[in-house]
Amino acid sequence: MSQRVVSVLLELGRLSVVQLVRQLKLPEKIVKQTLAVLIQQHLVVHFAHLETGQEVVYYECEWAQVYELLRAGRIIRAVEERFGSNGALIVSNLLQLGHARVSDFLVAYGTSTKKSKAMANGKSNAPATDDEPSITSIEILKSVMADMMKERFLVQVQEHHMHIRTDTRNTLRAQLTSQLRKSQLSENKLGKEVDRLMKIKMRELVDGDTSQHAGMKRKAAPTSKPRSKKRQKVSIYDLIEQEEEEWEINEDIVLRINHEKFLVLFRNAELVSLAESRHGKVSSQVYAELLKRLEEKYFRCREPYPADGNEEDDPKKRIKLSVLELSKTFSKDIDLENSIVAAPRPPKKKARKRSYSDAEDEDEPHPNGYRKKVNGKGKRRQSNSEDDEDDDDDDISDLEELYDDEEEGIDAENRKKKIRMELLKQHMQLLAEDSWKFVQLESNRGLGEWSVNYKELGKLMRHIELEKVVEETFGEMGLRLLRIIKDKGKLEEKQIASIALLKQKEIRSILTGLQENGYLHLQEVPKTSIPQISRTYFLWFHDPDRAIQSLVTDTYKAMSRAIQRTNVERAKRSSLLEKWERSDVQANVEEYLTTSEKRELEIWLSREEKLLGQLMRLDRTMMILRDF
């Protein structure tokens, strides 16, 4: 039923209940119940309009939220790596429910963790684990949910989450326009002011409550002693304790999954993978720690309502992190020693003999072993100290030479920290000197402040993904031609053949194929006022945005075909799969399934695994092209 409702809404657009009933030819009660379930899952949004004095509610399918269902497994795995099995259990339930009140979630947890768990079709509703249930108390559950809220993987459900975005924007714009009309501004200034305020209001609406204790409440103090009615003296230590009060999650709020924050997490993983392919594992680990520290300051990959002025272009607005701050939380398990090979030392020059005239300065010694007298006193100098210093220099590493061995007041631990910070700085310099510009140096404060230009890195990842597809489809020659046209700009076929050192006949079919797939485009420039084919330039050029959009469309089609193929394969074996899903059959497969059925089941499981694996690879491509 849900599939039919979503299909009609996707095909026809926004509809009212009456129109849905007419299209589906079903009772109104069933349609309303289905809409209620889809609204809770955030797959359908609604908005009420006044028409002829009556309120009419229109429903629209949120296709982006439907697409997010594909990433359920990826999200659960990411949460499990960061928050353990506790977080994975919470997220898996919220993905199934859409959203849930914290108090209801806790009540359901209390009833579902008894020893006599309800079994549905021989399977527990909770995720199956080899160990005992990971959540042993409600306090642990609340603590994990609070941690996930602080990092914005879970957010409170707001009213605008249920409403159609277009109607929300139109309502807000109408309110702002009516308020500003009282100021008697001209129409031009009024429109600009409304646009400026719209960006601010919509950004506040999308971000929600960004305070430190959003969705939290102060934990109730244990009442061991009855409170005295007398007024007690309050000391400074009592005020400090009040400021350090513990907080816990508010049980009255409703939570949902924040898919935009998970996209930030997936983008960081892709960037770390790129850095590892260029600079090795240790540098990628340093980069991963930097991105993790910056992660909390980015709510989403792409801002739908950017503020005035580009933050990437304004150094003052960029989010930066210094090496000193990074070293405070950098894992000590990561071995940085010997991760960067030092340059070989140049051969040392022999010390020349010093004459008496060279030692006239106050700091230079005389040949007789005495320094020049200062305040009537002479100081003896060891004559063989130069040979000893040369031997010692061979035993000191390049990094240790950065700090004076005779410096007093620095113990071995502080010295080790300084060397580790210098190693972190060198890894950051490697990432910054790369042609892909993984990081940018902003200032020298704290051994260097570094920022990440996500906008340019996003373009880079999309270009790399496009080149991979072109190379797989048209081979090395197709990739070569694409790079030539991208680098040189608009070119004729003769010019392209000359630059590529190939014949025109060899490249003509490849250029045509690239044009058919939308990766290249052709522009006609007539030589005369009367257009003629013989007197026209045909210029090949590459438009990155149009090429990416074409690739996104092809990826959607490939994903759709993979899902359809999976459904067809499942339908062919529907009777076998219904039998296999029975609890008694799964308890004793050898007894209830024949040899041919086992062989057919193995074929199905293998094909399903391949199709779902391909679907996940296509989803990764889609994230890079559309979301990053």
Side-chain angles (χ1 to χ4, degrees), residues 323 327 330-337 399 403 414-427 447:
V323 174
S327 64
F330 194 78
S331 176
K332 295 182 179 179
D333 298 334
I334 300 175
D335 185 16
L336 296 177
E337 295 182 3
L399 293 175
Y403 311 103
N414 290 339
R415 183 182 183 83
K416 190 175 180 181
K417 288 181 180 178
K418 284 190 175 183
I419 295 175
R420 193 171 178 82
M421 284 191 291
E422 185 62 33
L423 285 168
L424 284 174
K425 181 180 178 182
Q426 291 188 12
H427 280 287
L447 290 178

Side-chain angles (χ1 to χ4, degrees), residues 515-565:
Q515 183 194 16
E516 291 175 353
N517 284 270
Y519 306 142
L520 289 182
H521 303 281
L522 199 60
Q523 181 181 359
E524 299 178 9
V525 181
K527 297 180 182 179
T528 60
S529 59
I530 302 174
Q532 296 179 3
I533 296 178
S534 59
R535 296 185 177 183
T536 303
Y537 294 111
F538 293 94
L539 303 178
W540 295 93
F541 69 97
H542 171 69
D543 187 344
D545 294 336
R546 292 168 66 181
I548 294 298
Q549 189 59 42
S550 177
L551 184 56
V552 167
T553 304
D554 293 341
T555 308
Y556 277 134
K557 293 177 182 178
M559 295 177 74
S560 176
R561 294 185 187 118
I563 295 172
Q564 290 173 5
R565 185 64 184 174

Side-chain angles (χ1 to χ4, degrees), residues 45-61:
V45 289
H46 61 89
F47 200 83
H49 288 272
L50 285 175
E51 295 182 0
T52 64
Q54 294 182 355
E55 193 176 70
V56 180
V57 181
Y58 286 93
Y59 299 90
E60 186 177 306
C61 181

Side-chain angles (χ1 to χ4, degrees), residues 216-322:
M216 303 289 177
K217 67 176 183 180
R218 287 187 176 87
K219 187 178 290 187
T223 56
S224 57
K225 295 181 181 180
R227 231 183 220 185
S228 175
K229 295 183 179 179
K230 294 182 179 179
R231 186 175 180 181
Q232 298 179 355
K233 294 182 179 180
V234 180
S235 64
I236 185 65
Y237 301 104
D238 297 331
L239 294 175
I240 294 174
E241 289 180 0
Q242 290 178 6
E243 291 179 358
E244 297 178 354
E245 286 179 340
E246 294 185 358
W247 294 74
E248 64 178 2
I249 193 168
N250 187 359
E251 298 182 12
D252 296 330
I253 63 175
V254 181
L255 295 179
R256 61 168 291 187
I257 302 294
N258 185 11
H259 293 279
E260 292 179 336
K261 188 65 177 181
F262 280 102
L263 286 175
V264 176
L265 197 65
F266 299 147
R267 179 181 64 182
N268 291 348
E270 290 294 332
L271 290 175
V272 171
S273 177
L274 279 179
E276 185 175 0
S277 65
R278 301 275 287 186
H279 297 284
K281 186 176 181 180
V282 180
S283 294
S284 69
Q285 289 175 330
V286 175
Y287 194 45
E289 190 65 26
L290 172 72
L291 295 177
K292 188 176 180 181
R293 290 290 304 275
L294 296 176
E295 180 185 296
E296 60 184 11
K297 300 176 183 178
Y298 289 93
F299 296 160
R300 57 190 61 84
C301 291
R302 295 190 181 186
E303 287 293 342
Y305 307 101
D308 295 335
N310 192 354
E311 294 184 1
E312 304 293 344
D313 298 334
D314 190 357
K316 295 181 180 179
K317 295 183 180 179
R318 291 176 191 160
I319 299 175
K320 297 166 282 206
L321 186 71
S322 66

Side-chain angles (χ1 to χ4, degrees), residues 6 83 89 104 175 203 266 280 288 306 321 334 346 378 382 403 425 447 511:
V6 169
F83 300 97
L89 183 61
D104 296 340
Q175 292 175 357
R203 190 166 187 175
F266 299 147
L321 186 71
I334 300 175
Q382 298 294 332
Y403 311 103
K425 181 180 178 182
L447 290 178
L511 291 174

Side-chain angles (χ1 to χ4, degrees), residues 446-458:
L447 290 178
E449 283 187 325
W450 306 87
S451 66
V452 179
N453 192 340
Y454 287 107
K455 185 177 179 181
E456 293 300 323
L457 288 173

